[in-house]
Amino acid sequence: MKTIQVIALLLVFHLGIAQEVPIPTNIQQAYKNQTRSKDGIPGPNYWQNQSNYKINATVDTDTESISGNEVITYFNNSPDTLKNIVIRVYQDFFRKGNARQWPANEGDLTEGVQITKLIIDGKVYDTGKDFPWWWITNLNIRLKDKILPHSKTEIEIDWEVKIPTQRGLRMRKYADGHYFIAYWYPQIAVYDDVDGWDQVEYTGLVEFYNDINNFEVNLTVPANYLLRSTGDPENLDEILQKDIVHRYKEALKSDEVINIITQKDYNKNDVFKTGETHTWKIKAENVPDFSFAMSTQSNWDGSSLVVDSSTMRRVLADVLYPDGTKHWDQAASISRKSIKYMSFQLPGFAFPYPHMTSFCAGSSGGGMETPMMANDGAPKDFESFAELLFHEISHSYFPFFMGTNERKYAWMDEGWAAFLPGGFAKTLDPESNYMEKEIKGFINFAGSESALPLMSLSYQHNDFSSARIASYNQPATAYHVLKLILGDELFKKALLEYMNRWNGKHPLPYDFFNTFNEVSGQDLSWFWQPWFYQSGYPDLGIKAVNGNKVTIAKYGNYPVPIELHYKTADGETAVESHPANIWKAGKTEFEITLPKDTVIELLELGNPEIPDKDLSNNYWRN
């Protein structure tokens, strides 16, 4: 009897019969605490902490440094008494002797973030004695006064940080008078209902996980710098000349691209009001982070659009770029089209922020997202350029609007940002092969020793290729296959429901899985299990042809649709298609019966948008 049971278990494993996805114990505890629910809806006891930041900072372009004072009001909305608090000091990435997963130039290395004052709840902390656990970029402070449940505390910090000037990481000086600044201020880490304090270190590969906060920021910079940031400026009239302010206000309501600042304006000295420095006063509400760009040389273009037909709310799509940078004179138009596509097509959710600024770093390619700001390169190919702008703008939804934990589950944001440009690219060029390229990147890596399951925590990746494929190509391919399974309408409906339920919160993969299960009315475990929990690859092949019967074998463990193209002896061509759910019962073979008396001359399985590891078994000729 025991032998029979073992054989049965082995068969289940071998055949890939759908099982319920495994739930880790910390997630099970969240269900017990009713902060989460198994139907994908936030539980009745869901809570989330939050901070209000008041920051006064000065950028010194002579010493390439930022000094600041911040007062943080931290709201502990949890049922827990907090005995410690974790403060992130991201730029300790460049502290000499620190561990890193990303290269750093010698000239960017420093003594780290210099904290010269720390006061918590009125108690002064000695930076030399009271910081017992200062690891790489997390400062874990044992509190003198505990923070009680459903209470708030005030934290004041004075600090100074150097600006990287050679290679940097997500912030740096790119050229004289040309900066993008992110990850720059001491920040309260997330304390959530699943893990407590997020203590994942910032060593290069991991990116965002933030609460949804409010910011009041005063940034003092030399008077000849244009500044764009997260949030809205409140005192442009004090800084910019009247004509520039007028053009900016025109862009806020114009469907056409307005050249807000041009090189002619700089040459005529018609941009800034006089003074040695200017203090930009900015407010940003309900955003996870704050960044800014500053430049003495950038053109500034902008256009706006209605993103919500019911409220007629408009969003500004604006860009900053060095004059003459290839394609960037079209960037405002592409940004506007991107936001329109996202708001009305896919995901079909009105763009959540009042503006989206894309800043051209001047490098050849690559980009980095922050709330309402993106730092982009300048690809030579126009399609790559447009896809890059779209990709970084789409991060406004994932992770920022949705509050996802990119440190643990990068596929929950980078995967969407890699998937969503596919439809947009076809609006620019119907012949675009964007999705084919994403799938090819995944297929080339799939099945290798370094390929880890998507549910492996992102911060556990120490190999760049593994992390890259698991964050971008594989989840983009998985979302693509899921869309083929559900169909466009149901896929979009489930995605919108997930966004409606979880925006502004901290959804987990299980909240995503469960929402799609509930909205689709299907248990999709047969899909989630292999694509997200298993190493492997998709591979279909033509196993046998017997008259008009064709046997398709599922050699890989990832389910994908069947698309069989055939040509008959009399020259006719046709296609037989079957959705991926034909594999959900654990079958490894599927028989297709072609029309009676069909004499097959040629069979071809699949297409470039159906992932398949081994194409050598996809062809048959009589």
Side-chain angles (χ1 to χ4, degrees):
M1 186 65 180
K2 288 183 179 178
T3 302
I4 294 172
Q5 290 174 338
V6 169
I7 292 173
L9 287 172
L10 288 173
L11 283 172
V12 166
F13 177 78
H14 176 71
L15 296 175
I17 295 173
Q19 303 292 300
E20 286 190 7
V21 297
I23 309 296
T25 54
N26 55 334
I27 312 300
Q28 293 179 32
Q29 188 60 51
Y31 292 148
K32 291 178 182 177
N33 293 340
Q34 294 189 296
T35 56
R36 317 251 165 184
S37 63
K38 293 183 180 180
D39 58 5
I41 299 173
N45 295 333
Y46 181 81
W47 54 265
Q48 191 167 312
N49 290 353
Q50 180 255 332
S51 296
N52 292 339
Y53 288 82
K54 292 186 177 180
I55 302 175
N56 291 286
T58 299
V59 180
D60 189 327
T61 55
D62 292 328
T63 62
E64 307 294 6
S65 64
I66 303 171
S67 57
N69 165 269
E70 65 182 4
V71 176
I72 308 166
T73 304
Y74 181 68
F75 296 87
N76 178 22
N77 300 317
S78 80
D80 304 331
T81 297
L82 306 183
K83 300 177 182 179
N84 65 306
I85 194 167
V86 177
I87 297 176
R88 296 172 179 160
V89 280
Y90 290 105
Q91 293 309 304
D92 266 15
F93 173 86
F94 292 104
R95 182 153 52 100
K96 295 174 183 176
N98 260 355
R100 284 178 281 272
Q101 292 176 300
W102 201 269
N105 283 23
E106 184 72 23
D108 284 336
L109 300 185
T110 70
E111 298 303 320
V113 179
Q114 300 299 302
I115 294 179
T116 56
K117 180 170 74 172
L118 176 63
I119 300 173
I120 303 176
D121 200 20
K123 300 290 177 33
V124 177
Y125 286 71
D126 187 321
T127 58
K129 298 178 181 178
D130 292 327
F131 294 1
W133 301 310
W134 193 332
W135 299 109
I136 300 174
T137 56
N138 287 334
L139 179 57
N140 192 333
I141 301 167
R142 184 183 294 119
L143 293 169
K144 296 179 179 180
D145 292 328
K146 300 172 185 177
I147 304 176
L148 299 177
H150 309 294
S151 70
K152 63 182 180 180
T153 194
E154 189 172 277
I155 302 152
E156 184 177 1
I157 306 174
D158 286 355
W159 86 98
E160 184 173 341
V161 63
K162 290 287 187 180
I163 300 172
T165 61
Q166 296 189 9
R167 182 180 182 122
L169 179 64
R170 303 184 177 96
M171 70 168 278
R172 63 172 286 196
K173 173 185 177 182
Y174 287 93
D176 287 342
H178 203 56
Y179 299 79
F180 192 91
I181 306 298
Y183 287 40
W184 59 284
Y185 60 96
Q187 179 186 96
I188 307 300
V190 175
Y191 183 89
D192 67 24
D193 63 307
V194 173
D195 296 321
W197 285 111
D198 167 34
Q199 298 193 63
V200 175
E201 296 285 354
Y202 176 65
T203 55
L205 286 182
V206 301
E207 294 180 2
F208 289 97
Y209 183 38
N210 300 73
D211 286 321
I212 308 302
N213 304 310
N214 298 317
F215 294 84
E216 292 183 25
V217 181
N218 296 328
L219 288 169
T220 300
V221 302
N224 60 333
Y225 276 85
L226 172 66
L227 188 144
R228 289 294 284 153
S229 72
T230 305
D232 294 318
E234 297 196 307
N235 64 331
L236 284 186
D237 291 334
E238 299 173 8
I239 298 171
L240 300 177
Q241 294 285 355
K242 185 177 181 180
D243 283 351
I244 305 299
V245 175
H246 174 73
R247 292 179 211 162
Y248 168 75
K249 290 180 178 179
E250 282 295 304
L252 291 175
K253 57 186 180 182
S254 173
D255 291 336
E256 304 300 320
V257 173
I258 304 294
N259 303 127
I260 303 170
I261 296 178
T262 67
Q263 295 304 299
K264 185 183 294 184
D265 297 313
Y266 288 117
N267 295 337
K268 291 170 60 180
N269 201 27
D270 281 345
V271 176
F272 303 102
K273 292 189 174 178
T274 58
E276 292 187 3
T277 63
H278 287 139
T279 298
W280 296 71
K281 298 179 181 179
I282 304 147
K283 278 190 176 182
E285 296 182 343
N286 299 317
V287 292
D289 205 351
F290 187 99
S291 66
F292 62 97
M294 46 187 280
S295 179
T296 60
Q297 57 189 274
S298 287
N299 294 338
W300 184 16
D301 299 340
S303 176
S304 63
L305 70 154
V306 172
V307 297
D308 187 333
S309 301
S310 61
T311 64
M312 300 304 290
R313 179 170 63 85
R314 297 187 76 92
V315 166
L316 174 68
D318 65 318
V319 297
L320 272 64
Y321 60 98
D323 193 53
T325 309
K326 188 173 183 180
H327 302 311
W328 272 84
D329 58 335
Q330 302 176 66
S333 176
I334 294 297
S335 297
R336 187 182 188 280
K337 291 176 181 177
S338 298
I339 293 171
K340 184 176 182 179
Y341 179 91
M342 295 173 206
S343 297
F344 294 102
Q345 299 299 318
L346 200 65
F349 197 108
F351 193 80
Y353 300 119
H355 79 84
M356 182 66 220
T357 303
S358 296
F359 169 86
C360 177
S363 53
S364 60
M368 182 63 208
E369 70 280 2
T370 63
M372 298 191 217
M373 298 289 295
N375 182 11
D376 297 312
K380 295 180 181 179
D381 174 69
F382 179 77
E383 184 176 353
S384 298
F385 164 73
E387 290 164 1
L388 172 63
L389 288 183
F390 184 99
H391 175 106
E392 303 304 345
I393 293 172
S394 72
H395 279 300
S396 300
Y397 295 96
F398 311 97
F400 302 134
F401 184 54
M402 294 300 294
T404 50
N405 185 347
E406 188 177 2
R407 293 166 162 236
K408 288 175 69 175
Y409 317 108
W411 57 266
M412 293 186 75
D413 80 295
E414 294 292 0
W416 288 111
F419 164 74
L420 288 170
F424 177 70
K426 286 190 180 294
T427 68
L428 301 178
D429 177 9
E431 301 301 315
S432 169
N433 65 343
Y434 173 87
M435 204 62 225
E436 294 176 32
K437 292 184 290 186
E438 288 296 313
I439 291 171
K440 185 177 180 180
F442 160 60
I443 285 297
N444 288 343
F445 194 76
S448 68
E449 282 185 306
S450 300
L452 301 178
L454 286 181
M455 288 299 287
S456 300
L457 301 182
S458 298
Y459 65 79
Q460 295 175 330
H461 286 267
N462 284 309
D463 174 76
F464 177 78
S465 295
S466 170
R468 178 82 188 184
I469 298 298
S471 300
Y472 295 77
N473 301 78
Q474 183 172 344
T477 304
Y479 297 144
H480 171 71
V481 173
L482 181 61
K483 187 166 176 276
L484 293 177
I485 292 168
L486 297 180
D488 293 356
E489 185 177 341
L490 184 55
F491 177 85
K492 181 176 178 178
K493 180 180 179 182
L495 178 57
L496 286 175
E497 182 60 24
Y498 164 62
M499 295 178 70
N500 278 315
R501 289 176 176 184
W502 286 99
N503 74 80
K505 300 180 177 65
H506 293 315
L508 299 171
Y510 310 92
D511 304 314
F512 166 67
F513 298 153
N514 291 333
T515 297
F516 266 69
N517 287 346
E518 197 258 345
V519 173
S520 69
Q522 305 174 42
D523 180 357
L524 293 166
S525 297
W526 63 271
F527 174 80
W528 309 127
Q529 193 52 277
W531 274 97
F532 289 84
Y533 288 87
Q534 297 175 11
S535 295
Y537 51 88
D539 179 26
L540 301 183
I542 300 170
K543 183 176 182 180
V545 179
N546 185 10
N548 67 332
K549 297 183 184 298
V550 181
T551 302
I552 305 298
K554 178 173 171 286
Y555 296 112
N557 59 321
Y558 289 8
V560 292
I562 291 175
E563 185 175 296
L564 183 65
H565 301 252
Y566 64 94
K567 182 180 180 182
T568 64
D570 56 8
E572 292 186 6
T573 59
V575 180
E576 276 278 338
S577 299
H578 298 272
N581 56 14
I582 61 171
W583 308 113
K584 70 180 181 180
K587 291 181 180 179
T588 57
E589 293 184 1
F590 184 79
E591 187 174 85
I592 297 175
T593 302
L594 301 181
K596 189 177 180 181
D597 299 326
T598 298
V599 179
I600 304 170
E601 180 180 289
L602 179 69
L603 294 172
E604 182 176 347
L605 182 64
N607 70 53
E609 290 197 359
I610 295 178
D612 198 314
K613 181 69 177 177
D614 180 8
L615 298 179
S616 66
N617 52 22
N618 286 32
Y619 302 91
W620 182 91
R621 183 181 290 275
N622 194 354

